[in-house]
Amino acid sequence: TTLSHNNHHLEPTTPRFLPDPAGSQRGVMLQRERAPRADEIGIDQSDGIRLIDAGSNFESVHCPTCRRKIELEWWHDCMDRDSDGESFRLATHAAPCCHALHSLDQFVYDWPQAFGRFALVAMNPNIGRVDDKLKADVEAALGTKVVVVYRHI
C-alpha cells in the first residue's frame, strides 16, 4: 500500500482517553519540532467519541478474532446503530464471520482508523510516515499508546 495522506492524526488507542493539558501541549511541540513545514499542527478534542478515518486511504475491515474480512455493508450498519449522530457508544457487536463480540474500535482497519475524543493533528506535515521516535515521544508526553491515522482527503 502506497502512503497517501494530507494529514496525520496521533490518536490514543483508548477511545475515552483525554491527556492532561501539559501533555497535550508537549505533544503539539514535539510535532512542531519534527514537522516544521506542516501547514498546521494542533489538537482535535471532543466531548464524545468520534471516528478518525483514513479518508480515501480506507481499504478494509477485518475481524480481530478470526481475521476474516468484514463486508462494508455490515460495518456501515453497525456504525449507524452505534452512533447517535454526534458520537459513538462503542457497544459490542457480534462479528458476522465468527460471532465474536467486539466494539467498533477493536476491529482491524487497513489503513488504520481510530475512535476517540482526542488527537494531535498535523495538516500536510510533509514528513512522510511518522517515525517510531516521534510516536514514542508523543506516547510519553500524552501518557498513553497512540495509533497513527494517515488521512487522505
Side-chain angles (χ1 to χ4, degrees):
T1 307
T2 305
L3 177 66
S4 176
H5 71 283
N6 296 94
N7 57 51
H8 67 245
H9 295 248
L10 297 169
E11 177 96 20
T13 57
T14 304
R16 290 172 179 80
F17 181 85
L18 286 176
D20 64 58
S24 299
Q25 290 308 312
R26 178 77 183 125
V28 168
M29 285 180 16
L30 287 164
Q31 288 225 90
R32 284 192 180 127
E33 290 169 7
R34 304 279 175 67
R37 296 186 351 243
D39 289 348
E40 184 180 336
I41 293 176
I43 294 169
D44 179 11
Q45 188 170 315
S46 63
D47 290 334
I49 295 171
R50 77 276 186 266
L51 170 66
I52 299 298
D53 66 85
S56 63
N57 283 334
F58 175 68
E59 293 179 5
S60 61
V61 180
H62 292 83
C63 175
T65 299
C66 70
R67 300 293 185 199
R68 287 192 187 123
K69 189 173 184 177
I70 302 290
E71 293 298 321
L72 290 182
E73 184 177 338
W74 179 88
W75 181 74
H76 283 291
D77 288 345
C78 284
M79 294 281 287
D80 289 344
R81 284 192 310 272
D82 205 85
S83 173
D84 64 10
E86 293 183 23
S87 67
F88 291 92
R89 291 181 296 281
L90 298 182
T92 56
H93 304 274
C97 43
C98 65
H99 306 291
L101 296 176
H102 297 288
S103 56
L104 291 167
D105 62 303
Q106 295 171 329
F107 284 91
V108 179
Y109 297 97
D110 184 22
W111 287 64
Q113 303 191 118
F115 290 83
R117 298 177 56 203
F118 175 88
L120 292 173
V121 183
M123 302 295 289
N124 297 312
N126 298 303
I127 61 170
R129 289 193 179 272
V130 171
D131 63 39
D132 291 341
K133 177 152 178 37
L134 175 56
K135 185 178 177 206
D137 289 348
V138 166
E139 289 174 341
L142 298 180
T144 190
K145 294 286 187 193
V146 299
V147 61
V148 181
V149 177
Y150 295 101
R151 187 153 199 250
H152 187 259
I153 46 180

Coordinates of all heavy atoms in Angstrom, one line a residue, residues 30-121:
L30 N 6.3 18.6 20.1 CA 7.0 17.5 19.5 C 6.7 17.5 18.0 O 7.6 17.3 17.2 CB 6.7 16.2 20.2 CG 7.3 16.0 21.6 CD1 6.6 14.8 22.3 CD2 8.8 15.8 21.5
Q31 N 5.5 17.6 17.7 CA 5.1 17.6 16.3 C 5.7 18.8 15.5 O 6.1 18.6 14.4 CB 3.6 17.5 16.1 CG 3.0 16.2 16.5 CD 2.0 15.7 15.5 OE1 2.4 15.0 14.5 NE2 0.7 16.1 15.7
R32 N 5.6 19.9 16.1 CA 6.2 21.1 15.5 C 7.7 21.0 15.3 O 8.2 21.4 14.2 CB 5.9 22.4 16.4 CG 4.5 22.8 16.2 CD 4.3 24.2 16.8 NE 2.9 24.6 16.7 CZ 2.1 25.0 17.7 NH1 2.6 25.1 18.9 NH2 0.8 25.3 17.4
E33 N 8.4 20.4 16.2 CA 9.8 20.2 16.0 C 10.1 19.2 14.9 O 11.1 19.4 14.1 CB 10.4 19.6 17.3 CG 10.5 20.5 18.5 CD 10.8 19.8 19.8 OE1 11.2 18.6 19.8 OE2 10.8 20.5 20.9
R34 N 9.3 18.2 14.7 CA 9.6 17.1 13.7 C 8.9 17.4 12.4 O 9.3 16.8 11.4 CB 9.0 15.8 14.2 CG 9.6 15.4 15.6 CD 11.0 14.8 15.4 NE 11.6 14.5 16.7 CZ 11.2 13.5 17.6 NH1 10.1 12.8 17.3 NH2 11.8 13.4 18.7
A35 N 7.9 18.3 12.3 CA 7.3 18.6 11.1 C 7.2 20.2 10.9 O 6.1 20.8 10.9 CB 5.9 18.0 11.0
P36 N 8.4 20.8 10.8 CA 8.4 22.3 10.8 C 7.7 22.9 9.6 O 7.4 24.1 9.6 CB 9.9 22.6 10.9 CG 10.6 21.4 10.3 CD 9.7 20.2 10.7
R37 N 7.6 22.1 8.5 CA 6.9 22.6 7.3 C 5.5 22.3 7.2 O 4.8 22.5 6.2 CB 7.7 22.1 6.1 CG 9.1 22.5 6.0 CD 9.9 22.1 4.7 NE 9.2 21.2 3.8 CZ 9.6 20.0 3.5 NH1 10.7 19.5 4.0 NH2 8.9 19.2 2.7
A38 N 4.9 21.8 8.3 CA 3.4 21.4 8.3 C 2.6 22.7 8.1 O 3.0 23.8 8.6 CB 3.1 20.7 9.6
D39 N 1.5 22.6 7.4 CA 0.6 23.8 7.3 C 0.0 24.2 8.6 O -0.2 25.4 8.9 CB -0.5 23.5 6.3 CG 0.0 23.4 4.9 OD1 1.1 23.7 4.6 OD2 -0.8 22.9 4.0
E40 N -0.3 23.2 9.4 CA -0.9 23.5 10.7 C -0.7 22.2 11.6 O -0.8 21.1 11.2 CB -2.4 23.7 10.5 CG -3.2 24.1 11.8 CD -4.6 24.4 11.5 OE1 -5.0 24.7 10.4 OE2 -5.4 24.3 12.5
I41 N -0.5 22.5 12.9 CA -0.4 21.4 13.9 C -1.3 21.8 15.1 O -1.2 23.0 15.5 CB 1.0 21.2 14.4 CG1 1.8 20.6 13.2 CG2 1.1 20.3 15.6 CD1 3.3 20.4 13.5
G42 N -2.1 20.9 15.6 CA -3.0 21.3 16.7 C -3.6 20.1 17.3 O -3.3 18.9 17.1
I43 N -4.6 20.4 18.1 CA -5.3 19.4 18.9 C -6.8 19.3 18.4 O -7.4 20.4 18.2 CB -5.3 19.8 20.4 CG1 -3.9 19.7 21.0 CG2 -6.3 18.9 21.2 CD1 -3.7 20.4 22.3
D44 N -7.3 18.1 18.3 CA -8.7 17.9 18.0 C -9.3 17.2 19.1 O -8.9 16.0 19.4 CB -8.8 17.1 16.7 CG -10.2 16.8 16.3 OD1 -11.2 17.4 16.9 OD2 -10.4 16.0 15.4
Q45 N -10.2 17.8 19.9 CA -10.7 17.2 21.1 C -12.2 17.4 21.1 O -12.7 18.4 20.6 CB -10.2 17.9 22.3 CG -10.6 17.2 23.6 CD -9.8 17.7 24.8 OE1 -8.6 17.9 24.7 NE2 -10.4 18.0 25.9
S46 N -13.0 16.4 21.5 CA -14.4 16.4 21.5 C -15.0 15.8 22.8 O -14.3 15.1 23.5 CB -15.0 15.7 20.3 OG -14.6 14.3 20.4
D47 N -16.2 16.1 23.1 CA -16.9 15.6 24.3 C -17.2 14.1 24.0 O -17.2 13.3 25.0 CB -18.2 16.4 24.6 CG -17.9 17.8 25.1 OD1 -16.8 18.0 25.6 OD2 -18.8 18.6 24.9
G48 N -17.6 13.8 22.8 CA -18.0 12.4 22.5 C -16.9 11.7 21.7 O -16.0 12.3 21.2
I49 N -17.1 10.4 21.6 CA -16.2 9.6 20.8 C -16.6 9.7 19.3 O -17.7 9.5 19.0 CB -16.2 8.1 21.3 CG1 -15.7 8.0 22.7 CG2 -15.4 7.2 20.3 CD1 -15.9 6.7 23.3
R50 N -15.6 10.0 18.5 CA -15.8 10.1 17.0 C -14.8 9.2 16.3 O -13.8 8.8 16.9 CB -15.8 11.5 16.5 CG -14.5 12.2 16.4 CD -14.0 12.7 17.7 NE -12.8 13.5 17.6 CZ -11.6 13.0 17.8 NH1 -11.4 11.7 18.0 NH2 -10.5 13.7 17.8
L51 N -15.1 8.9 15.0 CA -14.2 8.2 14.2 C -13.2 9.1 13.5 O -13.6 10.1 12.9 CB -15.0 7.4 13.2 CG -14.1 6.7 12.1 CD1 -13.2 5.6 12.7 CD2 -15.0 6.1 11.0
I52 N -11.9 8.8 13.6 CA -10.9 9.4 12.8 C -10.6 8.4 11.7 O -10.0 7.4 12.0 CB -9.6 9.8 13.6 CG1 -9.9 10.8 14.7 CG2 -8.6 10.4 12.7 CD1 -10.5 12.1 14.3
D53 N -11.1 8.7 10.5 CA -11.0 7.7 9.4 C -9.8 8.1 8.6 O -9.3 9.2 8.6 CB -12.3 7.6 8.6 CG -12.6 8.9 7.9 OD1 -12.0 9.1 6.8 OD2 -13.3 9.8 8.4
A54 N -9.4 7.1 7.7 CA -8.3 7.3 6.8 C -8.7 7.9 5.5 O -7.8 8.0 4.6 CB -7.7 5.9 6.6
G55 N -9.9 8.4 5.4 CA -10.3 9.0 4.2 C -10.2 8.0 3.0 O -10.6 6.9 3.1
S56 N -9.7 8.5 1.9 CA -9.6 7.6 0.7 C -8.5 6.6 0.9 O -8.4 5.7 0.0 CB -9.4 8.5 -0.6 OG -8.2 9.1 -0.5
N57 N -7.8 6.6 1.9 CA -6.8 5.5 2.2 C -7.5 4.3 2.8 O -7.0 3.2 2.7 CB -5.8 5.9 3.2 CG -4.7 6.8 2.7 OD1 -4.4 6.8 1.5 ND2 -4.1 7.6 3.5
F58 N -8.8 4.4 3.3 CA -9.5 3.3 3.8 C -9.7 2.2 2.8 O -10.2 2.4 1.7 CB -10.8 3.8 4.3 CG -11.7 2.7 4.9 CD1 -11.4 2.0 6.0 CD2 -12.9 2.4 4.2 CE1 -12.2 1.0 6.5 CE2 -13.7 1.4 4.7 CZ -13.4 0.7 5.8
E59 N -9.3 1.0 3.2 CA -9.4 -0.2 2.3 C -10.3 -1.3 2.8 O -11.1 -1.8 2.0 CB -8.0 -0.7 2.0 CG -7.2 0.2 1.2 CD -5.8 -0.3 0.9 OE1 -5.5 -1.5 1.2 OE2 -5.0 0.5 0.3
S60 N -10.2 -1.7 4.1 CA -10.9 -2.8 4.5 C -11.0 -2.9 6.1 O -10.3 -2.2 6.8 CB -10.3 -4.1 4.0 OG -9.0 -4.2 4.5
V61 N -11.9 -3.7 6.5 CA -12.2 -4.0 7.9 C -12.1 -5.5 8.1 O -12.6 -6.3 7.3 CB -13.6 -3.5 8.4 CG1 -13.8 -3.8 9.9 CG2 -13.8 -2.1 8.1
H62 N -11.3 -5.9 9.2 CA -11.2 -7.4 9.5 C -11.6 -7.7 10.9 O -11.4 -6.8 11.8 CB -9.7 -7.8 9.2 CG -9.4 -7.8 7.8 ND1 -9.0 -6.7 7.1 CD2 -9.4 -8.8 6.8 CE1 -8.7 -7.0 5.9 NE2 -9.0 -8.2 5.6
C63 N -12.0 -8.9 11.1 CA -12.4 -9.3 12.5 C -11.1 -9.5 13.3 O -10.2 -10.2 12.8 CB -13.2 -10.6 12.4 SG -13.5 -11.4 14.0
P64 N -11.0 -9.0 14.5 CA -9.8 -9.2 15.3 C -9.7 -10.6 15.8 O -8.6 -11.1 16.2 CB -9.9 -8.2 16.4 CG -11.4 -7.9 16.5 CD -12.0 -8.1 15.1
T65 N -10.7 -11.4 15.8 CA -10.7 -12.8 16.3 C -10.2 -13.8 15.2 O -9.2 -14.5 15.4 CB -12.0 -13.2 16.9 OG1 -12.3 -12.4 18.0 CG2 -12.0 -14.7 17.4
C66 N -11.0 -13.8 14.1 CA -10.7 -14.8 13.1 C -9.9 -14.2 11.9 O -9.5 -14.9 10.9 CB -11.9 -15.5 12.6 SG -13.1 -14.5 11.7
R67 N -9.8 -12.9 11.8 CA -9.1 -12.2 10.8 C -9.7 -12.2 9.4 O -9.2 -11.7 8.4 CB -7.6 -12.7 10.6 CG -6.8 -12.5 11.9 CD -6.5 -11.1 12.2 NE -5.6 -11.0 13.3 CZ -5.5 -9.9 14.0 NH1 -6.2 -8.8 13.7 NH2 -4.7 -9.8 15.0
R68 N -11.0 -12.6 9.4 CA -11.7 -12.6 8.1 C -12.1 -11.1 7.8 O -12.4 -10.3 8.7 CB -12.9 -13.5 8.1 CG -12.6 -14.9 8.1 CD -13.9 -15.7 7.9 NE -13.6 -17.1 8.0 CZ -14.2 -18.0 8.9 NH1 -15.2 -17.5 9.6 NH2 -13.9 -19.2 8.9
K69 N -12.2 -10.9 6.5 CA -12.6 -9.6 6.0 C -14.1 -9.4 6.3 O -14.9 -10.3 6.1 CB -12.4 -9.4 4.5 CG -12.6 -8.0 4.0 CD -12.1 -8.0 2.5 CE -12.3 -6.6 2.0 NZ -11.8 -6.5 0.6
I70 N -14.5 -8.2 6.8 CA -15.9 -7.9 7.1 C -16.5 -7.1 5.9 O -15.8 -6.2 5.4 CB -15.9 -7.0 8.4 CG1 -15.3 -7.7 9.6 CG2 -17.3 -6.5 8.7 CD1 -16.0 -8.8 10.1
E71 N -17.7 -7.5 5.5 CA -18.4 -6.8 4.5 C -18.6 -5.3 4.9 O -19.1 -5.1 6.1 CB -19.7 -7.5 4.1 CG -19.4 -8.8 3.4 CD -18.7 -8.7 2.1 OE1 -18.9 -7.7 1.3 OE2 -17.8 -9.6 1.9
L72 N -18.4 -4.4 4.1 CA -18.6 -3.0 4.5 C -20.0 -2.6 4.7 O -20.3 -1.8 5.6 CB -18.0 -2.1 3.4 CG -16.5 -2.1 3.3 CD1 -16.0 -1.1 2.2 CD2 -15.8 -1.8 4.6
E73 N -21.0 -3.3 4.1 CA -22.4 -3.0 4.4 C -22.7 -3.3 5.8 O -23.4 -2.6 6.5 CB -23.3 -3.8 3.4 CG -24.7 -3.5 3.6 CD -25.6 -4.2 2.6 OE1 -25.1 -4.6 1.5 OE2 -26.8 -4.4 2.9
W74 N -22.2 -4.5 6.3 CA -22.4 -4.9 7.7 C -21.8 -3.9 8.6 O -22.4 -3.4 9.6 CB -21.9 -6.3 8.0 CG -22.1 -6.7 9.4 CD1 -23.1 -7.4 9.9 CD2 -21.2 -6.5 10.5 NE1 -23.0 -7.6 11.3 CE2 -21.7 -7.1 11.6 CE3 -19.9 -5.9 10.6 CZ2 -21.1 -7.0 12.9 CZ3 -19.3 -5.9 11.9 CH2 -19.9 -6.4 13.0
W75 N -20.6 -3.5 8.3 CA -19.8 -2.5 9.2 C -20.6 -1.1 9.2 O -20.7 -0.5 10.3 CB -18.4 -2.3 8.6 CG -17.6 -1.4 9.4 CD1 -17.0 -1.6 10.7 CD2 -17.2 -0.1 9.0 NE1 -16.3 -0.5 11.0 CE2 -16.4 0.5 10.1 CE3 -17.4 0.7 7.9 CZ2 -15.9 1.8 10.0 CZ3 -16.9 2.0 7.8 CH2 -16.1 2.5 8.9
H76 N -21.0 -0.7 8.0 CA -21.8 0.6 8.0 C -23.1 0.5 8.8 O -23.4 1.5 9.5 CB -22.1 1.0 6.6 CG -20.9 1.6 5.8 ND1 -20.4 2.8 6.1 CD2 -20.2 1.1 4.8 CE1 -19.4 3.0 5.3 NE2 -19.2 2.0 4.5
D77 N -23.7 -0.6 8.8 CA -24.9 -0.8 9.6 C -24.6 -0.7 11.1 O -25.3 -0.1 11.9 CB -25.6 -2.2 9.3 CG -26.3 -2.2 8.0 OD1 -26.5 -1.1 7.4 OD2 -26.6 -3.3 7.5
C78 N -23.5 -1.3 11.5 CA -23.1 -1.3 12.9 C -22.7 0.2 13.3 O -23.0 0.6 14.4 CB -21.8 -2.2 13.1 SG -22.3 -3.9 13.3
M79 N -22.0 0.9 12.4 CA -21.7 2.3 12.6 C -23.0 3.1 12.8 O -23.0 3.9 13.8 CB -20.9 2.9 11.4 CG -19.5 2.2 11.2 SD -18.3 2.9 12.4 CE -18.1 4.5 11.7
D80 N -24.0 2.9 12.0 CA -25.2 3.6 12.1 C -25.9 3.3 13.5 O -26.4 4.2 14.2 CB -26.2 3.3 11.0 CG -25.7 3.9 9.7 OD1 -24.9 4.8 9.7 OD2 -26.2 3.4 8.6
R81 N -26.0 2.0 13.9 CA -26.6 1.6 15.1 C -25.8 2.1 16.3 O -26.4 2.4 17.4 CB -26.7 0.1 15.2 CG -27.8 -0.5 14.3 CD -28.1 -1.9 14.6 NE -27.0 -2.8 14.7 CZ -26.4 -3.4 13.7 NH1 -27.0 -3.3 12.5 NH2 -25.4 -4.2 13.8
D82 N -24.5 2.2 16.2 CA -23.7 2.6 17.4 C -23.6 4.1 17.6 O -23.3 4.5 18.7 CB -22.3 2.1 17.1 CG -21.5 1.8 18.4 OD1 -21.7 0.8 19.0 OD2 -20.8 2.8 18.8
S83 N -24.0 4.9 16.6 CA -23.9 6.3 16.7 C -25.2 7.0 17.0 O -26.2 6.6 16.5 CB -23.3 6.9 15.3 OG -23.3 8.3 15.3
D84 N -25.1 8.1 17.7 CA -26.3 8.9 18.0 C -26.3 10.1 17.0 O -27.1 11.0 17.2 CB -26.5 9.3 19.4 CG -25.3 10.2 19.9 OD1 -24.5 10.7 19.1 OD2 -25.2 10.4 21.1
G85 N -25.4 10.1 16.1 CA -25.3 11.2 15.2 C -24.2 12.2 15.5 O -23.7 12.9 14.7
E86 N -23.8 12.1 16.8 CA -22.7 13.0 17.3 C -21.5 12.2 17.8 O -20.4 12.7 17.8 CB -23.2 14.0 18.4 CG -24.2 15.0 17.8 CD -24.7 15.9 18.9 OE1 -24.0 16.1 19.9 OE2 -25.8 16.5 18.7
S87 N -21.8 11.1 18.4 CA -20.7 10.3 18.9 C -21.1 8.8 18.9 O -22.2 8.4 18.6 CB -20.3 10.7 20.4 OG -21.4 10.4 21.2
F88 N -20.1 8.0 19.2 CA -20.3 6.5 19.2 C -20.3 6.0 20.6 O -19.6 6.5 21.5 CB -19.1 5.8 18.4 CG -19.2 6.1 17.0 CD1 -18.5 7.1 16.4 CD2 -19.9 5.3 16.1 CE1 -18.6 7.4 15.0 CE2 -20.0 5.5 14.8 CZ -19.3 6.6 14.2
R89 N -21.1 5.0 20.9 CA -21.2 4.3 22.2 C -20.1 3.3 22.3 O -19.7 3.0 23.4 CB -22.6 3.7 22.4 CG -23.7 4.7 22.5 CD -25.1 4.1 22.7 NE -25.5 3.2 21.6 CZ -26.0 3.7 20.4 NH1 -26.2 5.0 20.3 NH2 -26.4 2.9 19.5
L90 N -19.7 2.7 21.2 CA -18.8 1.6 21.2 C -19.3 0.4 21.9 O -18.7 -0.3 22.7 CB -17.4 2.0 21.7 CG -16.7 3.0 20.9 CD1 -15.3 3.3 21.4 CD2 -16.6 2.7 19.4
A91 N -20.6 0.0 21.6 CA -21.2 -1.2 22.1 C -20.6 -2.4 21.4 O -19.9 -2.2 20.4 CB -22.7 -1.1 21.8
T92 N -20.8 -3.6 22.0 CA -20.3 -4.7 21.3 C -21.2 -5.2 20.2 O -22.5 -5.1 20.4 CB -20.0 -5.9 22.3 OG1 -21.2 -6.2 23.0 CG2 -18.9 -5.5 23.2
H93 N -20.7 -5.8 19.2 CA -21.4 -6.3 18.0 C -20.9 -7.7 17.7 O -19.7 -7.9 17.8 CB -21.2 -5.4 16.8 CG -21.6 -4.0 17.0 ND1 -22.9 -3.5 16.9 CD2 -20.9 -2.9 17.4 CE1 -22.9 -2.3 17.1 NE2 -21.7 -1.9 17.5
A94 N -21.8 -8.6 17.4 CA -21.3 -10.0 17.0 C -20.9 -10.0 15.6 O -21.6 -9.7 14.7 CB -22.5 -11.0 17.2
A95 N -19.6 -10.3 15.4 CA -19.0 -10.3 14.1 C -19.7 -11.3 13.2 O -20.1 -12.4 13.7 CB -17.5 -10.6 14.1
P96 N -20.0 -11.0 11.9 CA -20.8 -11.9 11.1 C -20.0 -13.2 10.7 O -20.6 -14.2 10.4 CB -21.0 -11.0 9.8 CG -19.9 -10.0 9.8 CD -19.6 -9.7 11.2
C97 N -18.7 -13.1 10.9 CA -17.9 -14.3 10.5 C -17.8 -15.4 11.6 O -18.1 -16.5 11.3 CB -16.5 -13.8 10.1 SG -15.8 -12.6 11.3
C98 N -17.5 -15.0 12.8 CA -17.3 -16.0 13.8 C -18.1 -15.7 15.1 O -18.0 -16.4 16.1 CB -15.8 -16.1 14.2 SG -15.2 -14.5 14.9
H99 N -18.9 -14.6 15.0 CA -19.8 -14.2 16.1 C -19.1 -13.8 17.4 O -19.8 -13.6 18.4 CB -20.9 -15.3 16.4 CG -21.6 -15.7 15.1 ND1 -22.5 -14.9 14.5 CD2 -21.5 -16.9 14.4 CE1 -23.0 -15.5 13.4 NE2 -22.4 -16.7 13.3
A100 N -17.8 -13.5 17.3 CA -17.1 -13.0 18.4 C -17.6 -11.6 18.7 O -18.0 -10.8 17.7 CB -15.6 -13.0 18.2
L101 N -17.7 -11.2 19.9 CA -18.2 -9.8 20.3 C -17.1 -8.8 20.3 O -16.1 -9.0 21.0 CB -18.9 -9.9 21.7 CG -20.2 -10.7 21.7 CD1 -20.7 -10.8 23.1 CD2 -21.2 -10.2 20.7
H102 N -17.2 -7.7 19.6 CA -16.2 -6.7 19.5 C -16.9 -5.3 19.4 O -18.0 -5.2 18.7 CB -15.3 -6.9 18.3 CG -14.5 -8.1 18.4 ND1 -13.4 -8.2 19.3 CD2 -14.5 -9.3 17.7 CE1 -12.9 -9.4 19.1 NE2 -13.6 -10.1 18.2
S103 N -16.3 -4.3 20.0 CA -16.8 -2.9 19.7 C -16.1 -2.4 18.4 O -15.1 -3.0 18.0 CB -16.5 -2.0 20.9 OG -15.1 -2.0 21.2
L104 N -16.6 -1.4 17.8 CA -16.1 -0.9 16.5 C -14.6 -0.6 16.6 O -13.9 -0.7 15.6 CB -16.9 0.3 16.1 CG -18.3 0.0 15.7 CD1 -19.1 1.3 15.5 CD2 -18.3 -0.8 14.4
D105 N -14.1 -0.1 17.7 CA -12.7 0.3 17.9 C -11.8 -0.9 17.9 O -10.6 -0.8 17.7 CB -12.5 1.2 19.1 CG -12.8 0.5 20.4 OD1 -14.0 0.0 20.5 OD2 -11.9 0.4 21.3
Q106 N -12.3 -2.1 18.1 CA -11.5 -3.3 18.2 C -11.3 -4.0 16.8 O -10.4 -4.8 16.7 CB -12.1 -4.3 19.2 CG -12.1 -3.8 20.6 CD -12.9 -4.7 21.5 OE1 -13.9 -5.3 21.1 NE2 -12.5 -4.7 22.8
F107 N -12.1 -3.6 15.8 CA -11.9 -4.2 14.5 C -10.5 -3.8 13.9 O -10.0 -2.7 14.4 CB -13.0 -3.9 13.6 CG -14.3 -4.7 13.9 CD1 -15.2 -4.2 14.8 CD2 -14.4 -6.0 13.4 CE1 -16.3 -5.0 15.1 CE2 -15.6 -6.7 13.7 CZ -16.5 -6.2 14.5
V108 N -10.0 -4.5 13.0 CA -8.7 -4.2 12.4 C -9.0 -3.5 11.1 O -9.6 -4.0 10.2 CB -7.9 -5.5 12.2 CG1 -6.6 -5.2 11.5 CG2 -7.7 -6.3 13.5
Y109 N -8.4 -2.3 11.0 CA -8.7 -1.4 9.8 C -7.4 -1.3 9.0 O -6.3 -1.1 9.5 CB -9.1 0.0 10.3 CG -10.4 -0.1 11.0 CD1 -10.4 -0.1 12.4 CD2 -11.6 -0.1 10.3 CE1 -11.7 -0.1 13.1 CE2 -12.8 -0.1 11.0 CZ -12.8 -0.2 12.4 OH -14.0 -0.2 13.1
D110 N -7.6 -1.4 7.7 CA -6.5 -1.2 6.7 C -6.9 -0.1 5.8 O -7.9 -0.2 5.1 CB -6.3 -2.5 5.9 CG -5.1 -2.4 5.0 OD1 -4.2 -1.5 5.3 OD2 -5.0 -3.1 4.0
W111 N -6.3 0.9 5.9 CA -5.4 1.7 6.7 C -5.9 1.9 8.1 O -7.2 1.9 8.3 CB -5.1 3.0 6.1 CG -4.2 2.9 4.8 CD1 -4.5 2.2 3.7 CD2 -2.9 3.4 4.7 NE1 -3.5 2.4 2.8 CE2 -2.5 3.1 3.4 CE3 -2.1 4.2 5.5 CZ2 -1.3 3.5 2.9 CZ3 -0.9 4.6 5.0 CH2 -0.5 4.2 3.7
P112 N -5.0 2.1 9.1 CA -5.5 2.3 10.5 C -6.5 3.4 10.6 O -6.3 4.5 9.9 CB -4.3 2.6 11.3 CG -3.2 1.9 10.5 CD -3.6 2.0 9.1
Q113 N -7.5 3.2 11.4 CA -8.5 4.2 11.8 C -8.6 4.1 13.3 O -8.2 3.2 13.9 CB -9.8 4.0 11.1 CG -9.7 3.9 9.6 CD -11.0 4.0 8.9 OE1 -11.3 4.9 8.1 NE2 -11.9 3.0 9.1
A114 N -9.2 5.1 13.9 CA -9.3 5.1 15.4 C -10.6 5.8 15.8 O -11.1 6.7 15.2 CB -8.1 5.8 16.0
F115 N -11.1 5.4 17.0 CA -12.2 6.1 17.6 C -11.7 6.7 18.9 O -10.8 6.1 19.6 CB -13.2 5.0 18.1 CG -14.0 4.4 16.9 CD1 -13.4 3.4 16.2 CD2 -15.2 4.9 16.5 CE1 -14.1 2.8 15.1 CE2 -15.9 4.4 15.4 CZ -15.3 3.3 14.7
G116 N -12.1 8.0 19.1 CA -11.6 8.6 20.3 C -12.1 10.0 20.5 O -12.9 10.5 19.7
R117 N -11.7 10.7 21.6 CA -12.1 12.0 21.9 C -11.0 13.0 21.7 O -11.2 14.2 21.8 CB -12.5 12.0 23.4 CG -13.7 11.2 23.7 CD -14.1 11.2 25.1 NE -14.3 12.5 25.6 CZ -14.2 12.9 26.9 NH1 -13.9 12.0 27.8 NH2 -14.4 14.1 27.2
F118 N -9.8 12.5 21.4 CA -8.6 13.4 21.4 C -7.6 12.9 20.3 O -7.5 11.7 20.1 CB -7.8 13.4 22.7 CG -6.6 14.1 22.7 CD1 -6.5 15.5 23.0 CD2 -5.4 13.5 22.3 CE1 -5.4 16.2 23.0 CE2 -4.2 14.3 22.3 CZ -4.2 15.6 22.6
A119 N -7.1 13.9 19.6 CA -6.0 13.6 18.6 C -5.1 14.8 18.4 O -5.5 15.9 18.5 CB -6.6 13.2 17.2
L120 N -3.8 14.5 18.2 CA -2.9 15.5 17.7 C -2.9 15.5 16.2 O -2.8 14.4 15.6 CB -1.5 15.2 18.2 CG -1.3 15.4 19.7 CD1 0.2 14.9 20.1 CD2 -1.5 16.8 20.2
V121 N -3.1 16.6 15.6 CA -3.3 16.6 14.1 C -2.2 17.5 13.5 O -1.9 18.6 13.9 CB -4.7 17.2 13.7 CG1 -4.9 17.2 12.2 CG2 -5.8 16.4 14.5

